Amino acid sequence: MEVYPMFYDYLPFESTSYCQSYLKSVYVKHSFDEAVSLSYKNGLSFSYYVQHSQIYYQQALKAPYEIKPMLIYYGMIQLLKACLIRNNPYYPENSNDLAHGLSTRKRKKQNYVFLQDSVRIQQHGLFSLILDHMFHMKQIVGQSFTMLSLMKMIPEIGHLYTRLTHSHFHYPLIPRNEGEFEVSKKIIDDLCISKARLNRILSHHDIILADNASDVFVLTLKRPVPFFNPQPLQMRQDQQLFISNQRDYPSQIPELLAHYLILYNLSMICRYETDWWYDLLSQRDSNDISYIKGFLDITINKVPAIIADYLMNG
């Protein structure tokens, strides 16, 4: 099977013995009983999840946009299952764990706009497990996210968004010295919060906000920002950092989950809203198609990179 660049970091996981050794080290670190036998039991499944994901992604690279969402979504699902079996050797513990953990409107209304569509978080399923086991965050059952708000959590979308709207949803962090960055003071006006409030948000993540005589703040990062979850910042795949200027900024979810929610919705539309899906792909009177194609081109490369970073460094 040909190995595509986004899966180079996964090559060691093709070895079952390596997977068993890898899982053993994680299980021992987290003090699971019978770490050796559990790692031996789960090593093959872990390897299969990664291999199966790679097949989905390989087919998605070759596939037309008409079916890309399904292939990319299920490729991501397999990688997330590998993450879960890494963190919980007993996954799945019941049938609820196998659900998607999300819901959408069953039937799209007339004059439907994809960016205004939303996904709601359910109590059980993969989403809640990821939120808990990978990001150690509280459950947000019942909360809804619009597609536009989720797109704004993905920094690579920023250039397209600016071209289409002549505005921006984040500010770049400009490198100054080692671990120091500058950001425009306009950020607090956009967020409608005080400098003290922004400093409190950032300080919880070991980021110090200092004033400057000019028109910028200085951010000092006391520890490296992990690619798999750079919150409260955003990180492009080229490592460029940003800070969101959206009012919902303090309550945004990790970028990986934004990809998951958008892909879930697109895959559902692709499978069950065929008429609308093909109308969208063939017409050009809205910005939806630009965002969808832009997102698919980004997520097919970025999600495997985010999860690879998590598996190696999380």
Side-chain angles (χ1 to χ4, degrees):
M1 181 171 59
E2 182 180 358
V3 179
Y4 286 77
M6 78 272 273
F7 270 87
Y8 283 160
D9 288 333
Y10 292 89
L11 279 173
F13 297 126
E14 294 195 7
S15 164
T16 303
S17 61
Y18 177 84
C19 291
Q20 291 168 343
S21 174
Y22 169 80
L23 291 176
K24 176 185 173 183
S25 66
V26 176
Y27 293 165
V28 168
K29 179 181 178 181
H30 291 91
S31 303
F32 283 110
D33 294 333
E34 302 179 340
V36 175
S37 61
L38 287 171
S39 61
Y40 183 82
K41 172 179 175 288
N42 290 335
L44 191 59
S45 296
F46 184 94
S47 181
Y48 284 163
Y49 285 143
V50 172
Q51 290 180 52
H52 203 43
S53 171
Q54 186 172 349
I55 292 171
Y56 275 119
Y57 275 104
Q58 286 178 345
Q59 295 305 309
L61 283 167
K62 304 171 186 176
Y65 283 104
E66 284 81 355
I67 59 173
K68 271 186 190 291
M70 289 187 295
L71 296 170
I72 300 174
Y73 177 67
Y74 283 110
M76 182 182 188
I77 290 291
Q78 297 303 311
L79 288 180
L80 291 174
K81 287 181 177 180
C83 292
L84 289 176
I85 206 171
R86 169 197 185 272
N87 293 333
N88 178 11
Y90 305 104
Y91 172 82
E93 297 187 67
N94 54 62
S95 58
N96 286 334
D97 289 350
L98 300 175
H100 297 280
L102 307 168
S103 66
T104 62
R105 288 195 295 268
K106 299 300 181 184
R107 192 171 295 177
K108 306 304 179 187
K109 61 184 180 181
Q110 279 191 323
N111 302 317
Y112 171 78
V113 177
F114 174 75
L115 293 178
Q116 296 174 4
D117 199 4
S118 61
V119 172
R120 182 179 295 273
I121 310 304
Q122 300 297 306
Q123 182 172 0
H124 301 291
L126 195 60
F127 181 90
S128 295
L129 291 175
I130 299 163
L131 198 67
D132 180 15
H133 290 286
M134 291 180 66
F135 296 103
H136 312 292
M137 294 176 63
K138 295 179 180 178
Q139 297 302 316
I140 50 175
V141 177
Q143 188 167 339
S144 294
F145 295 88
T146 67
M147 295 299 101
L148 181 58
S149 71
L150 295 168
M151 290 280 185
K152 290 179 179 179
M153 298 178 198
I154 302 170
E156 285 86 350
I157 293 287
H159 179 66
L160 173 64
Y161 180 82
T162 298
R163 290 194 63 186
L164 291 173
T165 67
H166 306 291
S167 61
H168 55 274
F169 60 74
H170 58 201
Y171 286 95
L173 270 60
I174 309 302
R176 179 173 168 170
N177 296 309
E178 184 68 28
E180 285 188 354
F181 298 83
E182 294 180 350
V183 66
S184 171
K185 285 185 176 179
K186 294 178 181 178
I187 184 70
I188 58 174
D189 295 327
D190 290 358
L191 291 172
C192 290
I193 60 176
S194 66
K195 177 201 163 191
R197 168 63 175 150
L198 180 59
N199 192 33
R200 284 196 297 272
I201 294 171
L202 296 173
S203 65
H204 286 303
H205 301 270
D206 292 332
I207 301 173
I208 306 302
L209 177 71
D211 212 336
N212 193 303
S214 65
D215 59 352
V216 297
F217 291 124
V218 176
L219 299 184
T220 302
L221 279 54
K222 299 176 69 174
R223 57 181 171 83
V225 177
F227 179 57
F228 79 87
N229 185 23
Q231 282 187 303
L233 304 176
Q234 298 178 344
M235 186 185 291
R236 258 185 350 216
Q237 203 162 347
D238 64 4
Q239 307 300 299
Q240 170 66 51
L241 290 168
F242 298 85
I243 184 168
S244 172
N245 68 351
Q246 300 301 293
R247 302 284 178 86
D248 66 348
Y249 163 59
S251 62
Q252 288 184 354
I253 57 177
E255 182 189 341
L256 181 66
L257 293 175
H259 286 264
Y260 179 64
L261 267 62
I262 297 171
L263 283 171
Y264 170 78
N265 197 23
L266 281 174
S267 70
M268 294 293 284
I269 295 168
C270 181
R271 282 177 288 170
Y272 302 118
E273 304 284 349
T274 308
D275 289 349
W276 178 86
W277 180 236
Y278 274 83
D279 284 344
L280 171 66
L281 292 173
S282 62
Q283 56 90 14
R284 296 290 183 270
D285 60 357
S286 80
N287 292 335
D288 281 354
I289 189 62
S290 299
Y291 282 105
I292 290 171
K293 286 188 173 182
F295 167 75
L296 291 173
D297 290 343
I298 292 164
T299 193
I300 199 168
N301 290 290
K302 193 170 188 183
V303 163
I306 291 174
I307 294 179
D309 185 70
Y310 175 79
L311 292 174
M312 291 185 289
N313 304 309

